[in-house]
Amino acid sequence: MIQEAQHAPSDARKEFTFSERDFRMISALANERYGLFLQPSKKALVHSRLAKRLRALNLDSFEAYCGLLNRVEGDAEQTHLLSALTTNVTHFFREVHHFTYLKDTVAPKLAAKARGGAPVRLWSAACSTGQEAYSIAATLLEAAPELQKLDVKILATDIDPKVVETARKGRYPVDQITAIPEVWRRCLARGASTKKRSYQDG
Ligand SMILES: C[S@@+](CC[C@H](N)C(=O)[O-])C[C@H]1O[C@@H](n2cnc3c(N)ncnc32)[C@H](O)[C@@H]1O
């Protein structure tokens, strides 16, 4: 069992030695296990992302962290490694022009297909915490409310199981909702009653 430590704020800026060897080991693991490519130029980023894990685990060095990753009990830590290395930034209706295009151009064609009995399938292929998939659902329902009763499914997947868990719950802080422009917020309220299931890659 790996115990996580509680730290005083004064410890938050501690730097850790991060050798080329440690970086290569972490890059190789991230590549073999998750298909991530960490270019040498990402070394500083990897250091800053993983320093939190070293603190949480009360480790003194990246060498010790690499040792942990290689041990049997380090298996669970590999999931934390993945979460630390992926960039999960997202929000409802992020890059809103995509949703405008979906609503005005794509949704009418999809609605016509669905009305004709064809299955309609959409995929949020790197869904992070799920806001993109819910925004797609809301946009479709705003464009064509009858889609709710037709054969339409949205698949949401992500390589990081932690974010998929949040997507599956579909519960978000209220300030994320109030930040959405009114016109899109109405779409979301309409989509909120839609049945949801979410999936994880791998
Ligand atoms: C910046 S977020 C984008 C979220 C959302 N698509 C959006 O645009 O708001 C990128 C997501 O891609 C995921 N990701 C990275 N590589 C992936 C892969 N090979 N397969 C699936 N998801 C991946 C990350 O875990 C992260 O959650």
Side-chain angles (χ1 to χ4, degrees):
M1 172 98 177
I2 300 164
Q3 293 284 334
E4 297 205 5
Q6 302 295 323
H7 286 273
S10 61
D11 201 24
R13 285 177 210 283
K14 184 175 173 183
E15 283 294 318
F16 300 96
T17 307
F18 190 24
S19 69
E20 288 303 324
R21 189 163 172 267
D22 299 333
F23 177 68
R24 277 200 303 275
M25 186 257 145
I26 288 170
S27 308
L29 174 66
N31 184 249
E32 279 158 28
R33 177 107 202 233
Y34 302 113
L36 301 179
F37 289 95
L38 300 172
Q39 304 288 355
S41 60
K42 300 284 182 200
K43 188 175 172 215
L45 179 77
V46 171
H47 177 284
S48 82
R49 295 265 180 104
L50 292 180
K52 284 193 203 105
R53 289 304 306 154
L54 269 70
R55 277 179 220 117
L57 295 164
N58 212 7
L59 295 175
D60 275 343
S61 66
F62 271 90
E63 194 180 355
Y65 187 66
C66 291
L68 166 64
L69 289 170
N70 279 324
R71 292 203 297 275
V72 175
E73 70 268 30
D75 228 40
E77 181 55 29
Q78 294 190 7
T79 307
H80 290 291
L81 172 79
L82 172 66
S83 291
L85 294 180
T86 50
T87 300
N88 305 123
V89 63
T90 190
H91 53 82
F92 290 105
F93 303 102
R94 178 169 175 247
E95 302 203 21
V96 75
H97 55 282
H98 294 154
F99 295 94
T100 306
Y101 185 78
L102 177 63
K103 182 166 175 257
D104 297 340
T105 308
V106 181
K109 292 176 192 157
L110 294 181
K113 281 190 178 176
R115 269 183 232 113
V120 169
R121 302 288 180 263
L122 298 101
W123 184 15
S124 172
C127 66
S128 186
T129 40
Q131 288 90 331
E132 181 176 81
Y134 295 118
S135 300
I136 291 170
T139 305
L140 292 181
L141 290 175
E142 178 71 4
E146 76 275 20
L147 286 176
Q148 189 149 13
K149 298 195 181 90
L150 298 172
D151 185 8
V152 181
K153 287 183 184 160
I154 300 167
L155 175 66
T157 61
D158 198 283
I159 197 171
D160 178 353
K162 283 193 189 177
V163 290
V164 172
E165 194 45 40
T166 304
R168 184 178 284 117
K169 286 182 188 145
R171 294 175 71 86
Y172 300 97
V174 79
D175 59 347
Q176 287 199 16
I177 309 296
T178 48
I180 302 168
E182 175 58 27
V183 59
W184 291 104
R185 209 181 315 158
R186 267 192 284 114
C187 298
L188 204 62
R190 195 192 289 272
S193 58
T194 313
K195 263 167 78 178
K196 67 177 161 60
R197 290 173 63 195
S198 59
Y199 302 81
Q200 180 194 325
D201 261 351

